Amino acid sequence: MRTLTVCNFVTVDGRYEDDDHDIASFFEHQHPDYAGADSFDHYTASLVAASDVLLLSGRRSALANLSYWASVRDSADATDIRREFARLFAGIEKIVVSDAVTEADIAPYPNTRIVGVADAREEVRRLKAADGRGILILLGRVLWNDLMRAGLVDELHLVTFPLIAGGGVGLFDDRPPVALKLLGTHAWEESGNVLMRWRVDPD
C-alpha cells in the first residue's frame, strides 16, 4: 500500500500563510545569516523524487504552482536545485483537486488531471491501494486537513522556518482525530530550518 505524505513549511508561531494567502511577508525579518539558504528546496525535491503522485488543490494555488514550476525549468536565473525540482515536478503525475479548475487550465501542463472535491477522499483511497511509490502533498492545507480527518494521511513532515509571522492562517483547521508518533528530526544549520517527521495514526 502506498504512503501519503504531507510536507509543509510552517513558521515558529504555527502559520501557513499570511492573511493575503502569501508568505513573502514572513521573510521581512529573516536573519541575514540564512539569506539564500535552500535546504527546504533540497528536501522537497527528495520527496518528489521518491513519489509518483503529487496532489495539488485549489484553483489559485494549483495553477500558480503549475505555472511557476513550468517557468523555472528553463530559467537561467533559477538555482540548480530549483531547476531539478521543476524537472521532477514536470515528470510526476499531478492531480489537481478542485471544482473550479478546467481542462483548458491544465492543458499546458503534461501529466496533470483534475479530481472534484467531493471525489478526493475516494480517489486517495484508490491511489493508496494501488501499486507504486509515494503519494505527496506539498502545501494544500485545506485538502490535507480534510484527508487527515478521514484517516488518509500517513506521515506529516513539518519544516519549521526561523520566522515569526505574527498573524495569518494557522496550519490546522481544527483538531483532527489523530495521534502523532515522532519518526525523526533534522536541523539544517545553514538555513535554521528544523524538520519534524510524524507518523499519523488514527486516535
Side-chain angles (χ1 to χ4, degrees), residues 30-196:
Q30 182 184 31
H31 196 286
D33 286 356
Y34 301 141
D38 57 4
S39 303
F40 190 63
D41 293 339
H42 283 273
Y43 187 66
T44 53
S46 73
L47 293 177
V48 176
S51 306
D52 53 18
V53 178
L54 179 65
L55 299 178
L56 305 171
S57 66
R59 178 180 174 84
R60 179 189 59 82
S61 176
L63 294 182
N65 271 282
L66 288 165
S67 174
Y68 175 76
W69 291 112
S71 72
V72 166
R73 197 165 57 234
D74 301 315
S75 172
D77 296 328
T79 61
D80 289 344
I81 188 58
R82 286 194 160 239
R83 284 195 294 272
E84 173 63 9
F85 186 98
R87 184 189 67 79
L88 293 166
F89 187 91
I92 196 171
E93 179 186 6
K94 293 170 288 294
I95 299 175
V96 177
V97 177
S98 174
D99 293 333
V101 174
T102 67
E103 293 294 336
D105 290 326
I106 65 170
Y109 310 109
N111 308 316
T112 305
R113 62 186 176 91
I114 302 167
V115 169
V117 172
D119 298 322
R121 289 185 177 187
E122 189 54 40
E123 177 65 11
V124 169
R125 289 188 184 98
R126 186 191 69 77
L127 288 168
K128 290 185 65 170
D131 293 332
R133 296 185 297 160
I135 305 163
L136 180 63
I137 301 178
L138 302 173
L139 307 174
R141 183 188 66 87
V142 173
L143 173 62
W144 66 253
N145 268 261
D146 180 68
L147 295 177
M148 187 172 286
R149 284 191 292 270
L152 294 170
V153 173
D154 299 295
E155 293 189 15
L156 178 62
H157 296 200
L158 297 181
V159 180
T160 301
F161 278 37
L163 305 170
I164 300 171
V169 179
L171 199 62
F172 295 95
D173 291 334
D174 51 25
R175 185 171 65 177
V178 299
L180 302 178
K181 181 175 177 62
L182 187 66
L183 295 175
T185 63
H186 185 82
W188 289 277
E189 292 185 8
E190 68 274 17
S191 64
N193 294 351
V194 179
L195 166 68
M196 293 182 293

